Amino acid sequence: MQCHNGHTLCSTCKTRVHNRCPTCRQELGDIRCLALEKIAESLELPCRYISLGCPEIFPYYSKLKHEAICNFRPYNCPYAGSDCSVVGDIPYLVAHLRDDHRVDMHSGCTFNHRYVKSNPMEVENATWMLTVFHCFGQYFCLHFEAFQLGMAPVYMAFLRFMGDEREARNYSYSLEVGGNGRKLTFEGSPRSIRDSHKKVRDSHDGLIIYRHMALFFSGGDRKELKLRVTGRIWKEQQNPDGGVCIPNLCT
């Protein structure tokens, strides 16, 4: 935009100065500076995430659209127990989870976790645990928590991949919980941590156990929750002959 005396500034800054030219204090009006707009169209600028590894260069007006979906943009901290505002790349967040949130870190692609709660009646929106697994050179977050699904109290376990959505589709996982001769199983692909913890939980994309079933699995007098959740992670490999994905198990 420009004022009647030819002083220029962008439309975003125009609102900040309350439609008054900061140079001559004249009212700006709605005069566009077409010459500067043409120059802006000809500019090519690097992505703002170049320091994180993005090599792309874009015309001025395409740059912001790219940055909103850039695979190199920082990730939000995946810890769900508090409103953590930390952002960074994956190595930084792994160290942050270990050092600041004191998250349990494990190596390997299979897991066997036991969750115990003395008063299973208290399930309203309680985030219980986050565990990080390192396998296939990648990091995965296992969440286990309790919340109300409608009027029913439930427990839910699900896995998130510390990377983008495209990479997450290369992996699959299974979860199993059981007891008293019964079991529930879930199998799917981990969601990227680009999807917030709440978004994954509210989409019910994981192993969901209703409280009455969880107490049945726990055995005894059903006054204490004792759940054992087992699972594994595997990498899908493309079969060059048939184009079919076959599992590649981690040993």
Side-chain angles (χ1 to χ4, degrees):
M1 312 300 294
Q2 67 180 17
C3 73
H4 291 280
N5 292 322
H7 303 125
T8 58
L9 77 168
C10 71
S11 56
T12 302
C13 290
K14 177 187 173 185
T15 60
R16 295 176 182 171
V17 298
H18 306 292
N19 201 35
R20 186 73 60 180
C21 176
T23 302
C24 66
R25 312 307 299 170
Q26 295 294 314
E27 185 175 353
L28 284 168
D30 293 310
I31 305 173
R32 290 169 56 188
C33 182
L34 299 180
L36 283 183
E37 288 186 9
K38 287 293 184 182
I39 293 175
E41 288 176 0
S42 68
L43 293 177
E44 290 192 342
L45 302 171
C47 173
R48 66 182 297 185
Y49 304 121
I50 186 173
S51 62
L52 297 178
C54 183
E56 302 292 343
I57 296 177
F58 293 92
Y60 178 79
Y61 291 112
S62 302
K63 180 174 177 287
L64 293 179
K65 291 180 180 179
H66 161 78
E67 289 172 351
I69 59 173
C70 177
N71 289 334
F72 291 90
R73 71 191 189 276
Y75 295 88
N76 295 319
C77 173
Y79 190 75
S82 62
D83 294 327
C84 183
S85 60
V86 169
V87 298
D89 60 12
I90 298 303
Y92 178 83
L93 288 182
V94 169
H96 165 68
L97 289 170
R98 181 189 64 234
D99 300 336
D100 298 330
H101 293 299
R102 306 296 181 183
V103 167
D104 289 335
M105 313 291 287
H106 297 274
S107 294
C109 299
T110 60
F111 43 89
N112 186 338
H113 281 267
R114 190 166 182 247
Y115 300 99
V116 179
K117 189 171 179 65
S118 58
N119 185 2
M121 299 299 111
E122 299 176 358
V123 300
E124 288 78 7
N125 298 312
T127 298
W128 283 11
M129 186 175 293
L130 170 65
T131 306
V132 174
F133 294 90
H134 182 234
C135 66
F136 299 110
Q138 306 288 347
Y139 290 91
F140 300 82
C141 297
L142 176 64
H143 298 265
F144 187 81
E145 60 184 75
F147 61 98
Q148 293 286 140
L149 182 57
M151 297 297 294
V154 299
Y155 307 98
M156 181 175 178
F158 57 91
L159 199 72
R160 288 201 291 167
F161 174 73
M162 294 189 71
D164 65 26
E165 299 90 338
R166 183 175 54 186
E167 291 180 281
R169 289 193 289 268
N170 294 326
Y171 301 91
S172 295
Y173 74 102
S174 64
L175 295 172
E176 180 177 304
V177 62
N180 285 333
R182 307 288 190 275
K183 66 180 180 181
L184 289 175
T185 60
F186 173 85
E187 187 173 306
S189 296
R191 298 279 285 273
S192 166
I193 60 171
R194 295 284 189 209
D195 288 336
S196 70
H197 160 269
K198 185 177 185 299
K199 181 178 180 180
V200 179
R201 190 192 76 177
D202 291 350
S203 68
H204 309 153
D205 190 3
L207 177 65
I208 295 179
I209 314 147
Y210 285 85
R211 183 171 64 193
H212 68 276
M213 183 63 72
L215 293 175
F216 176 79
F217 289 154
S218 299
D221 56 9
R222 302 189 182 186
K223 293 183 178 179
E224 184 178 40
L225 181 73
K226 296 179 181 178
L227 283 181
R228 185 174 298 278
V229 177
T230 62
R232 65 185 179 94
I233 305 166
W234 65 92
K235 186 175 183 179
E236 303 287 358
Q237 283 189 330
Q238 193 70 23
N239 185 340
D241 297 325
V244 178
C245 286
I246 56 177
N248 177 22
L249 300 181
C250 178
T251 58

